[in-house]
Amino acid sequence: AEWNKVLLGVLTGAVALTIGILLGHFAIDKGSSVPDWVRDASRDVDESIIEKFLAELDTNQLRENLRELTKVPHMATTPGDEATVDFMLKRWQDPNTGLDSAWRENYKVYLSFPNKTSPNKVSVGKTGYLVTWFQNVYKPDQEDPEVVQPYAAYSPAGNVKGKLVYANQGKMSDYELLNRTLDLTGTIAITRYGGEGRSKKYTSFIALNAINAAKFGIVGVLVYTEPYDMNDGLVSESETYPHSWYLPPSGVERGSYNIDFGDLLTPYLAAKDDTYRIPKEDITGIPPIPAQPIGFEDAERLICELDGDDAPNEWQGSLNCTYKLGGPGFKSTSTFNNSNVHLDIYNTERLEYSANVMGIIRGSVEPDRYVIYGNHRDSWVHGAIDPSSGTAVMLEITRVLGKMVKEGKWRPRRSIIFGSWGAEEFGLIGSAEYTEEYFSKLSERTVAYINVDISVFANATLRASASPAAQSVIFTASKQVKAPGTTTTVYENWKQYSNRTSPNYGIIPNVGFLTGAGSDYAAFMHYLGITSMDISYFYDRSKTRARIYPAYHTAYDTFDYASTYIDPGFTSHQAVARTAGNVLVRLADSLLLPFNCSDYAESLDQYLGQAVTAFEEKLAAKGISMEPLKKAVQLFRDTAAKLDRLIRDSDLAKETPLKVRQMNDQLMLLDRAFLDPLAFPEQYGFRHVIWASRSSSVPTFPGLADAVEKAESTGLKEDWDQAHKHISIVTQAIAGAAHTLDDVI
């Protein structure tokens, strides 16, 4: 008891002394000699620094960055990829424009490659018809011997044959429709890439295509790029690249056919040399049957020879025939009559070294708070747009900021970490990022993650997806940048192309939600709960049906393609650099983090409205109430408004550093408050209960939406119980997050 009294006395004295020192410091007349740390602690972002930074971002530098990055194909772990590692390190270690420090972090990852000596082959019986993987050469880039043959990464090797059927996009519903009238056992399916864009659904789709097929006895899958979906129906060489941005008939879209992200042998662990690896036979989420992508000129020859009933209207495309389902097999009048389609796949899997390149500018006041900016470096071939447009932008941002630091003209309040991630194209989004020592252990001190993966799809308008908390800082930045080729700002241009009506602000640009796992932000947002954003310049969707830029993942995604058709003057690259770089500087240098909790509340309201409309009556019929969820959202809304008022009414420059730090922690950790490690046991890498991936078409809380739809389809009590459970999960997550916005409990 005596010891407790002594300890209490010591602590009380220490607290009093600390308060006295702080009060003494802040009571000092500003005109007197004030220690540097006091001035630094209250320093806010300098708008003149932002103006200088924006002015320095140069289109010629961006062009030369992209030219250098795309000289050779740089698929992960190849010599070309190693060359880009060296290039990044050289730039970030430059004595005049480099960062404070830069290094490489190596991983040993499980990747899938085609066999150079035994190319994959698709043929039709003994007819002599051979589907080619050699793309037509239009420019010297495509003649590079390191251009990898098209293949489906993680498709197993195998030699299979069977009668051909057409299965649209390879969804379960597509195979179920076919299965009503055809015996699919032992057949080969030809399918088209889906229209989901770069989302978790699309990333999973190309793997699910074959996974679904195997459930119906199908033994192999072909996948082609449908010109209706990608080329606005254009199919002739004279109308496609190099004459336009559209995909040539021989172009083949490569892809990684795995559902989970991260290294497949080291789930939830960093893929280091000595890391435990699961047995290869325990890998899930990859195709159990061979798969191979082909070009649409070969797809036309196969589909237009098929027998059987006409495919449904929504399955039809732009190839020069009426699409049939298959007999299975070909028409009796076809030269392919009675012939099987043969898939001879020789893919191999092996462990290879892949690197993240890391760099840092250390903060002057809060070096233990991090803003992370990154994009992946590897590509399927030259990768001019995906991902090198993003890398080119990142390098220009680091050149300008590095120069300002080296010249002693600026140093951010908080530290900035830059990351050039490896092996993303294989699905390793987050493998290194969220499991290695830099981020899984430092996530509690990370302010935000900025992702500029594909910087420029084309040159119409800004596109951003983000945590709702980050909407306001993106808007602030976009209002300070001119839109290329216009007299208006990026903000106004963006609002013209893509907008929504906000209850709080009226008509504003539409900021999408990070609901999928299609890019490098996945681990930061979905696993670590770090407030994240994904920024790019996008094409005018009203003028094209293209689900993404047409050369995506093909040998035609080159510097020539980018500089001729996507962004000839590199002004869109510059606009992205200025917008994303402006956001970066504000996050790193603002006294108070520029996040807005009421914007988050508005998004939760939006999700709640969708859930009530779609599910309330169905749940009530099962005795399940949504009232607790409504109350939680109301609590969050009220608490967010209270914190916003407190921030607005505070003179932060006169507050103690501890008070500002407290508010910043509340803002910084908001997304972390929505994490529930047990919410989605079947979904690898998802812990954020608001933005996890969902299969439901209802844009609302993912666990709830998926659970209700499953319960509706089965009618089982245990499935309705799961819906009730997910209401409780999201209710308690929202209420818990609301409490973090209060001063104290």
Side-chain angles (χ1 to χ4, degrees):
E2 288 302 315
W3 171 246
N4 288 342
K5 289 180 182 178
V6 171
L7 182 60
L8 180 60
V10 170
L11 289 174
T12 303
V15 170
L17 178 61
T18 301
I19 292 172
I21 291 171
L22 289 171
L23 287 173
H25 272 300
F26 283 92
I28 296 172
D29 183 356
K30 293 295 183 185
S32 64
S33 177
V34 179
D36 289 344
W37 73 264
V38 175
R39 278 192 290 266
D40 288 344
S42 60
R43 174 176 59 84
D44 205 352
V45 65
D46 186 338
E47 293 293 338
S48 68
I49 290 291
I50 289 180
E51 289 176 12
K52 292 172 185 174
F53 166 71
L54 298 181
E56 287 289 317
L57 296 166
D58 185 68
T59 54
N60 290 324
Q61 292 282 349
L62 287 158
R63 178 187 291 107
E64 294 313 305
N65 287 348
L66 190 67
R67 193 192 307 275
E68 183 67 31
L69 289 163
T70 58
K71 277 184 176 178
V72 297
H74 51 283
M75 191 169 73
T77 76
T78 64
D81 184 39
E82 273 299 302
T84 61
V85 169
D86 293 340
F87 176 58
M88 300 294 294
L89 281 172
K90 181 180 178 182
R91 289 288 299 272
W92 286 355
Q93 293 172 346
D94 186 281
N96 299 313
T97 60
L99 309 177
D100 287 333
S101 62
W103 66 98
R104 64 181 291 159
E105 194 68 32
N106 290 321
Y107 299 88
K108 197 172 186 179
V109 292
Y110 182 74
L111 303 183
S112 167
F113 301 95
N115 189 317
K116 286 188 176 181
T117 58
S118 297
N120 294 343
K121 187 172 69 172
V122 180
S123 57
V124 182
K126 298 179 180 178
T127 65
Y129 183 75
L130 185 67
V131 172
T132 177
W133 57 264
F134 292 98
Q135 296 106 146
N136 289 347
V137 172
Y138 301 109
K139 302 281 182 174
D141 310 68
Q142 290 115 47
E143 292 183 300
D144 193 304
E146 290 300 311
V147 171
V148 67
Q149 58 169 286
Y151 75 113
Y154 299 109
S155 161
N159 306 97
V160 295
K161 64 181 180 180
K163 294 292 190 291
L164 190 67
V165 295
Y166 170 56
N168 191 33
Q169 293 182 344
K171 303 187 296 289
M172 279 297 289
S173 58
D174 296 334
Y175 290 120
E176 286 166 354
L177 185 149
L178 275 179
N179 198 46
R180 290 176 200 155
T181 56
L182 297 175
D183 180 5
L184 298 179
T185 304
T187 60
I188 304 287
I190 184 168
T191 64
R192 62 208 270 183
Y193 278 112
E196 299 294 347
R198 301 187 75 258
S199 68
K200 171 64 177 173
K201 285 186 177 180
Y202 177 68
T203 306
S204 298
F205 162 78
I206 53 181
L208 284 172
N209 193 326
I211 292 171
N212 293 339
K215 296 174 182 177
F216 293 87
I218 294 168
V219 296
V221 171
L222 297 174
V223 189
Y224 77 99
T225 303
E226 168 57 52
Y228 180 88
D229 301 326
M230 193 71 104
N231 273 17
D232 292 317
L234 300 181
V235 297
S236 71
E237 278 195 300
S238 63
E239 298 173 303
T240 56
Y241 183 77
H243 308 291
S244 74
W245 84 322
Y246 292 114
L247 181 66
S250 64
V252 185
E253 184 178 329
R254 297 149 183 79
S256 182
Y257 286 45
N258 63 321
I259 292 175
D260 295 331
F261 48 86
D263 180 63
L264 296 178
L265 292 181
T266 58
Y268 294 111
L269 292 170
K272 297 291 190 174
D273 268 328
D274 55 358
T275 302
Y276 166 75
R277 287 172 168 79
I278 64 173
K280 292 178 183 178
E281 55 269 22
D282 289 352
I283 292 174
T284 59
I286 59 175
I289 57 176
Q292 175 68 21
I294 63 174
F296 67 76
E297 67 178 357
D298 283 314
E300 181 173 59
R301 181 75 192 275
L302 296 173
I303 290 174
C304 291
E305 297 289 330
L306 281 175
D307 200 3
D309 296 335
D310 288 357
N313 286 339
E314 60 270 23
W315 290 25
Q316 298 294 324
S318 296
L319 303 179
N320 190 29
C321 62
T322 299
Y323 294 20
K324 305 279 189 179
L325 299 178
F330 300 106
K331 294 180 286 192
S332 59
T333 54
S334 169
T335 55
F336 298 158
N337 182 35
N338 289 326
S339 295
N340 287 318
V341 171
H342 295 247
L343 270 67
D344 297 297
I345 306 301
Y346 301 100
N347 296 345
T348 59
E349 294 80 38
R350 60 182 184 265
L351 290 169
E352 294 283 354
Y353 285 103
S354 180
N356 286 347
V357 181
M358 313 290 297
I360 188 168
I361 296 175
R362 291 185 179 84
S364 59
V365 179
E366 299 179 88
D368 64 328
R369 289 292 187 259
Y370 310 102
V371 182
I372 305 173
Y373 182 113
N375 91 303
H376 75 274
R377 185 188 62 255
D378 67 303
S379 65
W380 286 113
V381 194
H382 292 85
I385 303 304
D386 180 17
S388 300
S389 62
T391 312
V393 164
M394 180 165 64
L395 283 172
E396 177 60 359
I397 287 173
T398 58
R399 180 189 71 84
V400 176
L401 293 182
K403 184 169 180 282
M404 291 164 64
V405 168
K406 296 289 187 184
E407 293 176 349
K409 295 178 179 177
W410 174 78
R411 182 168 289 279
R413 178 186 191 89
R414 303 175 186 93
S415 296
I416 303 174
I417 296 174
F418 294 95
S420 175
W421 320 125
E424 190 267 4
E425 295 291 3
F426 285 86
L428 270 69
I429 43 181
S431 168
E433 291 94 314
Y434 72 62
T435 56
E436 61 125 317
E437 55 269 36
Y438 295 106
F439 302 128
S440 63
K441 302 299 183 261
L442 299 183
S443 64
E444 293 300 316
R445 293 189 278 171
T446 299
V447 170
Y449 176 67
I450 303 171
N451 190 58
V452 181
D453 169 13
I454 300 179
S455 168
V456 180
F457 292 84
N459 50 6
T461 188
L462 193 77
R463 184 178 77 164
S465 300
S467 163
Q471 172 183 276
S472 58
V473 68
I474 298 173
F475 285 172
T476 298
S478 65
K479 289 175 181 177
Q480 291 185 297
V481 180
K482 288 292 183 186
T486 75
T487 57
T488 189
T489 63
V490 163
Y491 177 87
E492 291 298 331
N493 175 263
W494 180 11
K495 187 166 68 171
Q496 173 188 336
Y497 278 95
S498 176
N499 59 63
R500 69 178 182 89
T501 301
S502 159
N504 293 333
Y505 308 112
I507 299 175
I508 58 174
N510 186 50
V511 177
F513 296 146
L514 293 175
T515 53
S519 192
D520 306 298
Y521 59 78
F524 296 99
M525 187 79 216
H526 299 302
Y527 187 72
L528 293 176
I530 292 171
T531 299
S532 300
M533 60 210 81
D534 188 42
I535 300 172
S536 62
Y537 228 70
F538 209 64
Y539 52 89
D540 185 351
R541 295 302 294 265
S542 70
K543 295 180 180 177
T544 176
R545 286 193 303 269
R547 57 178 165 82
I548 198 168
Y549 70 97
Y552 178 67
H553 284 189
T554 73
Y556 303 110
D557 186 3
T558 61
F559 179 81
D560 177 75
Y561 181 84
S563 58
T564 303
Y565 295 111
I566 301 298
D567 189 19
F570 284 80
T571 53
S572 293
H573 282 75
Q574 184 186 51
V576 172
R578 285 174 168 169
T579 306
N582 191 333
V583 170
L584 174 64
V585 172
R586 290 183 181 282
L587 288 170
D589 232 12
S590 295
L591 177 60
L592 190 78
L593 291 174
F595 292 148
N596 189 296
C597 298
S598 291
D599 289 350
Y600 218 121
E602 184 179 302
S603 297
L604 294 178
D605 264 333
Q606 181 182 329
Y607 260 24
L608 176 65
Q610 295 280 358
V612 168
T613 300
F615 304 136
E616 187 168 39
E617 286 186 13
K618 299 168 185 175
L619 289 164
K622 300 294 179 180
I624 304 169
S625 173
M626 293 188 71
E627 288 306 312
L629 179 57
K630 293 178 185 178
K631 289 178 181 176
V633 172
Q634 180 66 50
L635 175 65
F636 188 96
R637 186 188 309 119
D638 293 344
T639 315
K642 178 183 172 184
L643 179 59
D644 285 346
R645 283 194 302 273
L646 177 64
I647 291 170
R648 187 175 61 249
D649 296 342
S650 297
D651 186 350
L652 296 173
K654 294 182 179 179
E655 292 284 358
T656 71
L658 293 179
K659 180 65 174 178
V660 176
R661 180 92 160 188
Q662 174 189 319
M663 288 181 174
N664 278 338
D665 281 355
Q666 289 174 286
L667 296 168
M668 180 181 77
L669 298 176
L670 176 57
D671 267 301
R672 240 84 96 221
F674 292 104
L675 296 183
D676 183 343
L678 303 178
F680 310 107
E682 303 302 316
Q683 285 205 66
Y684 179 87
F686 287 93
R687 303 194 298 176
H688 199 302
V689 302
I690 309 299
W691 311 121
S693 184
R694 69 173 190 274
S695 58
S696 169
S697 60
V698 180
T700 186
F701 308 111
L704 174 61
D706 288 352
V708 172
E709 291 201 355
K710 183 180 180 183
E712 279 190 285
S713 67
T714 66
L716 297 174
K717 181 182 182 303
E718 55 262 38
D719 288 335
W720 284 108
D721 287 345
Q722 281 296 306
H724 192 177
K725 178 182 177 181
H726 273 284
I727 285 183
S728 297
I729 288 171
V730 73
T731 295
Q732 293 186 21
I734 293 171
H739 289 304
T740 70
L741 301 181
D742 256 335
D743 271 359
V744 292
I745 293 177

